[in-house]
Amino acid sequence: MLGSELIIRSLHRLGVKTLFSLSGNQIMPLYDACFDAGIRIIHVRHEAAAVFMADAWSQITGELGVAMLTAAPGIANGLAPLYSASQAKAQSWSSRVIPLSLKTARARFKSWTRSPSPPR
């Protein structure tokens, strides 16, 4: 069993039937597991929208709101709306929205430089 399957099965056991996300390569295995578990994915055009929609979903339906975000800029774009929602007196916010982020394998430090190194 893959880690992505464990995560999605756990969400399914918590009653999650819908989640909000902007796709990214790092979370594609989670999408596959969502399809297998019958969890509906609502795609958005910005990560902030996913968090705001998860908050609204939680408040309107009383169900667990889930925003699934990709690594790096994805999670950074979701931080401001997550903070905003946590301050908006949403009912039990901290226990009702679960932003998920999976990291990719890190690149070697040399690949971060602006100019390529000469071959050795």
Side-chain angles (χ1 to χ4, degrees):
M1 179 178 298
L2 300 174
S4 57
E5 293 170 342
L6 289 172
I7 292 169
I8 298 304
R9 283 185 184 182
S10 296
L11 290 175
H12 190 263
R13 285 189 193 120
L14 290 170
V16 173
K17 297 176 189 140
T18 303
L19 59 81
F20 305 90
S21 182
L22 178 65
S23 61
N25 287 339
Q26 296 88 350
I27 58 176
M28 294 311 287
L30 288 169
Y31 282 177
D32 293 337
C34 283
F35 295 135
D36 294 339
I39 294 177
R40 178 174 63 155
I41 302 168
I42 297 179
H43 292 273
V44 298
R45 292 189 171 225
H46 196 274
E47 294 88 351
V51 177
F52 283 128
M53 291 171 76
D55 177 32
W57 181 268
S58 179
Q59 290 185 43
I60 292 168
T61 67
E63 297 175 6
L64 181 66
V66 179
M68 189 163 64
L69 308 177
T70 191
I75 196 71
N77 289 335
L79 288 177
L82 182 63
Y83 177 77
S84 175
S86 72
Q87 299 301 307
K89 297 183 175 58
Q91 180 183 12
S92 184
W93 170 259
S94 62
S95 65
R96 299 187 73 67
V97 173
I98 304 173
L100 298 175
S101 174
L102 295 181
K103 308 298 184 205
T104 60
R106 70 179 174 89
R108 294 184 322 166
F109 184 72
K110 282 189 173 190
S111 67
W112 296 356
T113 60
R114 292 185 182 175
S115 59
S117 301
R120 293 184 183 193

Coordinates of all heavy atoms in Angstrom, one line a residue, residues 22-98:
L22 N -5.6 22.5 -6.3 CA -5.0 22.9 -7.5 C -4.0 21.8 -7.8 O -3.1 21.6 -7.0 CB -4.4 24.3 -7.4 CG -3.7 24.8 -8.7 CD1 -4.7 25.0 -9.8 CD2 -3.0 26.1 -8.4
S23 N -4.0 21.2 -8.9 CA -3.2 20.0 -9.2 C -1.7 20.4 -9.3 O -1.4 21.5 -9.7 CB -3.6 19.3 -10.4 OG -3.5 20.2 -11.6
G24 N -0.9 19.5 -8.9 CA 0.6 19.7 -9.0 C 1.2 18.3 -9.1 O 0.6 17.3 -8.6
N25 N 2.4 18.2 -9.6 CA 3.0 16.9 -9.8 C 3.3 16.2 -8.5 O 3.2 15.0 -8.4 CB 4.4 17.1 -10.5 CG 4.2 17.4 -12.0 OD1 3.1 17.1 -12.6 ND2 5.2 18.0 -12.6
Q26 N 3.5 16.9 -7.4 CA 3.9 16.3 -6.1 C 2.7 15.6 -5.5 O 2.8 14.7 -4.7 CB 4.4 17.4 -5.1 CG 5.7 18.0 -5.5 CD 5.5 19.2 -6.4 OE1 4.4 19.5 -6.9 NE2 6.6 19.9 -6.7
I27 N 1.4 16.0 -5.9 CA 0.3 15.4 -5.3 C -0.5 14.5 -6.2 O -1.6 14.0 -5.9 CB -0.7 16.4 -4.6 CG1 -1.1 17.5 -5.6 CG2 0.0 17.1 -3.4 CD1 -2.1 18.5 -5.1
M28 N 0.0 14.2 -7.4 CA -0.7 13.3 -8.3 C -1.1 12.0 -7.7 O -2.2 11.4 -8.0 CB 0.0 13.2 -9.6 CG 0.1 14.6 -10.4 SD -1.5 15.4 -10.6 CE -2.3 14.4 -11.8
P29 N -0.2 11.3 -7.0 CA -0.5 10.0 -6.4 C -1.8 10.1 -5.4 O -2.6 9.2 -5.3 CB 0.7 9.6 -5.6 CG 1.8 10.3 -6.3 CD 1.2 11.6 -6.7
L30 N -1.9 11.3 -4.8 CA -3.1 11.5 -3.9 C -4.4 11.6 -4.8 O -5.4 11.1 -4.4 CB -2.9 12.8 -3.1 CG -1.9 12.7 -2.0 CD1 -1.7 14.1 -1.4 CD2 -2.4 11.8 -0.9
Y31 N -4.3 12.2 -6.0 CA -5.4 12.2 -6.9 C -5.8 10.8 -7.3 O -7.0 10.5 -7.3 CB -5.1 13.1 -8.1 CG -5.1 14.6 -7.9 CD1 -4.8 15.4 -8.9 CD2 -5.5 15.1 -6.7 CE1 -4.8 16.8 -8.7 CE2 -5.5 16.5 -6.5 CZ -5.2 17.3 -7.5 OH -5.2 18.7 -7.3
D32 N -4.9 10.0 -7.6 CA -5.2 8.6 -8.0 C -5.9 7.9 -6.9 O -6.9 7.2 -7.1 CB -3.9 7.9 -8.4 CG -3.3 8.4 -9.7 OD1 -4.0 9.0 -10.5 OD2 -2.0 8.2 -9.8
A33 N -5.4 8.1 -5.7 CA -6.0 7.5 -4.5 C -7.5 8.0 -4.3 O -8.3 7.3 -3.8 CB -5.2 7.6 -3.3
C34 N -7.7 9.3 -4.5 CA -9.0 9.9 -4.4 C -10.0 9.2 -5.4 O -11.1 8.9 -5.0 CB -9.0 11.4 -4.7 SG -8.3 12.4 -3.3
F35 N -9.5 9.0 -6.6 CA -10.4 8.4 -7.6 C -10.8 7.0 -7.1 O -11.9 6.6 -7.2 CB -9.8 8.3 -9.0 CG -9.5 9.6 -9.6 CD1 -8.3 9.9 -10.2 CD2 -10.5 10.6 -9.6 CE1 -8.1 11.2 -10.8 CE2 -10.3 11.9 -10.1 CZ -9.1 12.2 -10.7
D36 N -9.8 6.2 -6.6 CA -10.1 4.9 -6.1 C -11.0 4.9 -4.9 O -11.8 4.0 -4.7 CB -8.8 4.2 -5.7 CG -7.9 3.9 -6.9 OD1 -8.4 3.9 -8.1 OD2 -6.6 3.7 -6.7
A37 N -10.9 5.9 -4.0 CA -11.8 6.0 -2.8 C -13.1 6.6 -3.1 O -14.0 6.7 -2.2 CB -11.0 6.7 -1.7
G38 N -13.3 7.2 -4.3 CA -14.6 7.8 -4.6 C -14.7 9.2 -4.0 O -15.8 9.7 -3.8
I39 N -13.6 9.9 -3.8 CA -13.6 11.2 -3.2 C -13.6 12.2 -4.4 O -12.7 12.1 -5.3 CB -12.4 11.5 -2.3 CG1 -12.6 10.6 -1.0 CG2 -12.3 13.0 -1.9 CD1 -11.4 10.7 -0.1
R40 N -14.5 13.1 -4.4 CA -14.7 14.1 -5.5 C -13.6 15.2 -5.3 O -13.4 15.7 -4.2 CB -16.0 14.7 -5.5 CG -16.3 15.8 -6.6 CD -17.7 16.2 -6.6 NE -18.1 16.8 -5.4 CZ -19.1 17.7 -5.2 NH1 -19.8 18.0 -6.3 NH2 -19.4 18.3 -4.1
I41 N -12.9 15.6 -6.4 CA -11.9 16.6 -6.4 C -12.5 17.8 -7.1 O -12.8 17.7 -8.3 CB -10.6 16.2 -7.0 CG1 -10.0 15.0 -6.3 CG2 -9.6 17.3 -7.0 CD1 -8.9 14.3 -7.1
I42 N -12.6 18.9 -6.5 CA -13.0 20.2 -7.1 C -11.7 21.0 -7.4 O -11.1 21.4 -6.4 CB -14.0 21.0 -6.3 CG1 -15.3 20.1 -6.1 CG2 -14.3 22.3 -6.9 CD1 -16.3 20.7 -5.3
H43 N -11.4 21.2 -8.6 CA -10.2 21.9 -9.0 C -10.4 23.4 -9.0 O -11.5 23.8 -9.4 CB -9.7 21.4 -10.4 CG -9.2 20.0 -10.5 ND1 -7.9 19.7 -10.2 CD2 -9.9 18.9 -10.7 CE1 -7.8 18.4 -10.3 NE2 -9.0 17.9 -10.6
V44 N -9.4 24.1 -8.5 CA -9.5 25.6 -8.5 C -8.4 26.1 -9.3 O -7.5 25.4 -9.8 CB -9.4 26.0 -7.0 CG1 -10.6 25.5 -6.2 CG2 -8.1 25.6 -6.4
R45 N -8.4 27.4 -9.4 CA -7.3 28.1 -10.2 C -6.2 28.7 -9.4 O -5.3 29.2 -9.9 CB -7.9 29.2 -11.1 CG -8.8 28.5 -12.2 CD -9.2 29.5 -13.2 NE -9.8 28.8 -14.3 CZ -9.5 29.1 -15.6 NH1 -8.6 30.0 -15.9 NH2 -10.1 28.4 -16.5
H46 N -6.4 28.7 -8.1 CA -5.4 29.3 -7.2 C -5.5 28.5 -5.8 O -6.6 28.2 -5.4 CB -5.6 30.8 -7.0 CG -4.4 31.4 -6.4 ND1 -4.2 31.5 -5.0 CD2 -3.3 32.0 -6.9 CE1 -3.0 32.1 -4.8 NE2 -2.5 32.5 -5.9
E47 N -4.4 28.3 -5.2 CA -4.4 27.6 -3.9 C -5.2 28.3 -2.8 O -5.9 27.6 -2.0 CB -3.0 27.4 -3.4 CG -2.1 26.5 -4.3 CD -1.4 27.3 -5.4 OE1 -1.7 28.5 -5.6 OE2 -0.5 26.6 -6.1
A48 N -5.2 29.6 -2.8 CA -6.0 30.4 -1.9 C -7.5 30.0 -2.0 O -8.2 29.9 -1.0 CB -5.7 31.9 -2.0
A49 N -7.9 29.9 -3.2 CA -9.3 29.6 -3.5 C -9.7 28.2 -2.9 O -10.8 28.0 -2.3 CB -9.6 29.6 -5.0
A50 N -8.7 27.3 -2.9 CA -9.0 25.9 -2.4 C -9.2 26.0 -0.9 O -10.1 25.4 -0.3 CB -7.8 25.0 -2.7
V51 N -8.4 26.8 -0.2 CA -8.5 27.0 1.3 C -9.8 27.7 1.6 O -10.6 27.3 2.5 CB -7.3 27.7 1.9 CG1 -7.5 27.9 3.4 CG2 -6.1 26.9 1.6
F52 N -10.1 28.8 0.9 CA -11.4 29.5 1.2 C -12.6 28.6 0.9 O -13.6 28.6 1.7 CB -11.5 30.7 0.3 CG -10.6 31.9 0.8 CD1 -9.8 32.5 -0.1 CD2 -10.7 32.3 2.1 CE1 -9.0 33.6 0.4 CE2 -9.9 33.4 2.6 CZ -9.1 34.0 1.7
M53 N -12.5 27.8 -0.1 CA -13.7 26.9 -0.5 C -13.8 25.8 0.6 O -14.9 25.4 1.0 CB -13.5 26.3 -1.9 CG -13.7 27.4 -2.9 SD -13.2 26.8 -4.6 CE -14.7 25.8 -5.0
A54 N -12.7 25.3 1.1 CA -12.7 24.3 2.1 C -13.3 24.8 3.4 O -14.1 24.2 4.1 CB -11.3 23.7 2.4
D55 N -13.0 26.1 3.7 CA -13.6 26.8 4.9 C -15.1 26.9 4.7 O -15.9 26.6 5.6 CB -12.9 28.1 5.1 CG -13.5 28.9 6.2 OD1 -14.0 28.3 7.2 OD2 -13.6 30.2 6.1
A56 N -15.5 27.4 3.5 CA -16.9 27.6 3.3 C -17.7 26.2 3.3 O -18.8 26.1 3.9 CB -17.1 28.3 1.9
W57 N -17.1 25.2 2.7 CA -17.7 23.9 2.7 C -17.9 23.4 4.2 O -19.0 22.9 4.5 CB -16.7 22.9 2.0 CG -17.3 21.5 1.9 CD1 -17.0 20.5 2.7 CD2 -18.1 21.0 0.9 NE1 -17.7 19.4 2.3 CE2 -18.3 19.6 1.2 CE3 -18.7 21.5 -0.3 CZ2 -19.1 18.8 0.4 CZ3 -19.5 20.7 -1.0 CH2 -19.7 19.4 -0.7
S58 N -16.9 23.6 5.0 CA -17.0 23.1 6.4 C -18.1 23.9 7.1 O -18.9 23.3 7.9 CB -15.7 23.3 7.1 OG -15.7 23.0 8.4
Q59 N -18.2 25.2 6.9 CA -19.2 26.0 7.6 C -20.6 25.7 7.1 O -21.5 25.7 7.9 CB -18.9 27.5 7.4 CG -17.6 27.9 8.2 CD -17.4 29.4 8.1 OE1 -18.4 30.2 8.3 NE2 -16.2 29.8 7.9
I60 N -20.8 25.5 5.8 CA -22.1 25.3 5.3 C -22.6 23.9 5.5 O -23.8 23.7 5.9 CB -22.1 25.6 3.8 CG1 -21.9 27.1 3.6 CG2 -23.4 25.2 3.1 CD1 -21.6 27.5 2.1
T61 N -21.8 22.9 5.3 CA -22.2 21.5 5.4 C -22.0 20.8 6.8 O -22.6 19.8 7.1 CB -21.5 20.6 4.4 OG1 -20.1 20.5 4.7 CG2 -21.7 21.1 3.0
G62 N -21.1 21.4 7.6 CA -20.7 20.8 8.8 C -19.7 19.6 8.7 O -19.3 19.0 9.7
E63 N -19.3 19.4 7.4 CA -18.4 18.3 7.2 C -17.0 18.8 7.3 O -16.7 20.0 7.3 CB -18.6 17.7 5.8 CG -20.0 17.1 5.6 CD -20.3 16.6 4.2 OE1 -19.3 16.7 3.3 OE2 -21.4 16.2 3.9
L64 N -16.0 17.9 7.3 CA -14.6 18.2 7.3 C -14.3 18.9 5.9 O -14.5 18.4 4.9 CB -13.8 17.0 7.5 CG -12.3 17.1 7.5 CD1 -11.9 17.9 8.8 CD2 -11.6 15.8 7.5
G65 N -13.7 20.1 6.0 CA -13.2 20.8 4.8 C -11.8 20.5 4.5 O -11.0 20.6 5.4
V66 N -11.5 20.1 3.3 CA -10.1 19.7 3.0 C -9.6 20.5 1.8 O -10.2 20.5 0.7 CB -10.0 18.2 2.7 CG1 -8.6 17.8 2.3 CG2 -10.5 17.3 3.9
A67 N -8.5 21.1 2.0 CA -7.7 21.8 0.9 C -6.4 21.0 0.7 O -5.6 20.9 1.6 CB -7.4 23.2 1.2
M68 N -6.2 20.5 -0.5 CA -5.0 19.7 -0.8 C -4.1 20.6 -1.7 O -4.5 20.9 -2.8 CB -5.4 18.4 -1.5 CG -4.2 17.5 -1.7 SD -4.7 15.8 -2.1 CE -5.5 16.0 -3.6
L69 N -3.0 20.9 -1.2 CA -2.1 21.9 -1.8 C -0.8 21.2 -2.2 O -0.3 20.3 -1.5 CB -1.8 23.1 -0.9 CG -3.0 23.8 -0.4 CD1 -2.6 24.9 0.5 CD2 -3.9 24.3 -1.5
T70 N -0.2 21.6 -3.2 CA 1.1 21.1 -3.6 C 2.3 21.8 -2.9 O 2.0 22.7 -2.1 CB 1.3 21.2 -5.2 OG1 2.4 20.5 -5.6 CG2 1.5 22.7 -5.6
A71 N 3.5 21.3 -3.1 CA 4.6 21.8 -2.3 C 5.0 23.2 -2.7 O 4.6 23.8 -3.7 CB 5.8 20.9 -2.5
A72 N 5.8 23.8 -1.9 CA 6.5 25.1 -2.1 C 5.5 26.3 -2.3 O 4.8 26.6 -1.3 CB 7.6 25.0 -3.2
P73 N 5.4 26.8 -3.5 CA 4.5 28.0 -3.7 C 3.1 27.6 -3.4 O 2.3 28.5 -2.9 CB 4.7 28.4 -5.1 CG 5.8 27.6 -5.7 CD 6.1 26.5 -4.7
G74 N 2.7 26.4 -3.6 CA 1.3 26.0 -3.3 C 0.9 26.2 -1.9 O -0.1 26.8 -1.6
I75 N 1.8 25.7 -1.0 CA 1.4 25.8 0.4 C 1.6 27.2 0.9 O 0.8 27.7 1.7 CB 2.3 24.8 1.3 CG1 1.7 24.7 2.7 CG2 3.7 25.2 1.4 CD1 0.4 23.9 2.8
A76 N 2.6 28.0 0.3 CA 2.7 29.4 0.7 C 1.5 30.2 0.3 O 1.1 31.1 1.0 CB 4.0 29.9 0.0
N77 N 0.9 29.9 -0.9 CA -0.3 30.6 -1.3 C -1.5 30.3 -0.5 O -2.4 31.0 -0.4 CB -0.6 30.3 -2.8 CG 0.4 30.9 -3.7 OD1 1.1 31.9 -3.4 ND2 0.6 30.4 -4.9
G78 N -1.4 29.2 0.2 CA -2.6 28.8 1.1 C -2.5 29.3 2.5 O -3.4 29.2 3.3
L79 N -1.3 29.8 2.9 CA -1.1 30.2 4.3 C -2.0 31.4 4.7 O -2.6 31.4 5.8 CB 0.3 30.5 4.6 CG 1.2 29.3 4.6 CD1 2.7 29.8 4.8 CD2 0.8 28.4 5.7
A80 N -2.1 32.4 3.9 CA -2.8 33.6 4.2 C -4.3 33.3 4.4 O -4.9 33.7 5.4 CB -2.6 34.7 3.2
P81 N -5.0 32.6 3.4 CA -6.4 32.3 3.7 C -6.6 31.3 4.9 O -7.6 31.4 5.5 CB -6.8 31.6 2.4 CG -5.6 31.3 1.6 CD -4.5 32.2 2.1
L82 N -5.6 30.5 5.1 CA -5.7 29.6 6.3 C -5.7 30.4 7.6 O -6.5 30.2 8.5 CB -4.6 28.6 6.3 CG -4.6 27.5 7.4 CD1 -5.8 26.7 7.3 CD2 -3.4 26.7 7.4
Y83 N -4.8 31.4 7.6 CA -4.8 32.3 8.8 C -6.1 33.1 8.9 O -6.7 33.2 10.0 CB -3.6 33.2 8.7 CG -3.6 34.2 9.9 CD1 -3.2 33.8 11.2 CD2 -4.0 35.5 9.7 CE1 -3.2 34.7 12.2 CE2 -4.0 36.4 10.8 CZ -3.6 36.0 12.0 OH -3.6 36.8 13.1
S84 N -6.5 33.6 7.8 CA -7.8 34.4 7.7 C -9.0 33.6 8.2 O -9.7 34.1 9.0 CB -8.0 34.9 6.3 OG -9.2 35.5 6.2
A85 N -9.1 32.4 7.8 CA -10.2 31.5 8.2 C -10.1 31.2 9.7 O -11.1 31.1 10.4 CB -10.2 30.2 7.4
S86 N -8.8 31.0 10.2 CA -8.7 30.6 11.6 C -9.1 31.8 12.5 O -9.4 31.6 13.6 CB -7.2 30.2 11.9 OG -6.4 31.4 11.8
Q87 N -9.0 33.0 12.0 CA -9.4 34.2 12.7 C -10.8 34.6 12.6 O -11.3 35.5 13.2 CB -8.5 35.4 12.4 CG -7.0 35.1 12.6 CD -6.7 34.8 14.0 OE1 -7.1 35.6 14.9 NE2 -6.0 33.7 14.3
A88 N -11.6 33.9 11.7 CA -12.9 34.3 11.3 C -14.0 33.7 12.2 O -15.1 33.6 11.8 CB -13.2 34.0 9.9
K89 N -13.6 33.1 13.3 CA -14.5 32.5 14.2 C -15.3 31.3 13.6 O -16.5 31.1 13.9 CB -15.5 33.5 14.8 CG -14.8 34.5 15.7 CD -15.9 35.5 16.2 CE -15.3 36.5 17.2 NZ -14.3 37.3 16.7
A90 N -14.6 30.7 12.6 CA -15.2 29.5 12.0 C -15.4 28.4 13.1 O -14.5 28.3 13.9 CB -14.4 29.0 10.9
Q91 N -16.4 27.7 13.1 CA -16.7 26.7 14.1 C -15.6 25.6 14.1 O -15.4 24.9 13.1 CB -18.0 26.0 13.9 CG -18.3 25.0 14.9 CD -19.6 24.3 14.7 OE1 -20.2 24.4 13.6 NE2 -20.1 23.5 15.6
S92 N -14.8 25.6 15.2 CA -13.8 24.6 15.4 C -12.9 24.5 14.1 O -12.6 23.4 13.6 CB -14.4 23.2 15.6 OG -13.4 22.2 15.9
W93 N -12.4 25.6 13.6 CA -11.6 25.7 12.4 C -10.4 24.7 12.4 O -10.2 24.0 11.5 CB -11.2 27.1 12.1 CG -10.2 27.2 11.0 CD1 -8.9 27.3 11.1 CD2 -10.5 27.0 9.6 NE1 -8.3 27.3 9.9 CE2 -9.2 27.1 8.9 CE3 -11.6 26.9 8.9 CZ2 -9.1 27.1 7.6 CZ3 -11.5 26.8 7.5 CH2 -10.3 26.9 6.9
S94 N -9.6 24.8 13.5 CA -8.4 24.1 13.5 C -8.6 22.6 13.3 O -7.7 21.9 12.8 CB -7.6 24.4 14.8 OG -8.3 23.9 15.9
S95 N -9.7 22.1 13.7 CA -10.0 20.6 13.6 C -10.8 20.3 12.4 O -11.1 19.1 12.1 CB -10.7 20.1 14.9 OG -12.0 20.7 14.9
R96 N -11.2 21.3 11.6 CA -12.1 21.0 10.5 C -11.4 21.2 9.1 O -12.0 20.7 8.1 CB -13.3 21.9 10.6 CG -14.1 21.6 11.9 CD -15.3 22.4 11.9 NE -16.4 21.8 11.1 CZ -17.0 20.7 11.2 NH1 -16.6 19.8 12.1 NH2 -18.0 20.4 10.4
V97 N -10.3 21.8 9.0 CA -9.7 21.9 7.7 C -8.3 21.3 7.8 O -7.5 21.6 8.7 CB -9.6 23.4 7.2 CG1 -8.8 23.5 5.9 CG2 -11.0 23.9 6.9
I98 N -7.9 20.5 6.8 CA -6.6 19.8 6.8 C -5.9 20.2 5.5 O -6.2 19.6 4.5 CB -6.8 18.3 6.9 CG1 -7.6 17.9 8.2 CG2 -5.4 17.6 6.9 CD1 -7.9 16.4 8.2

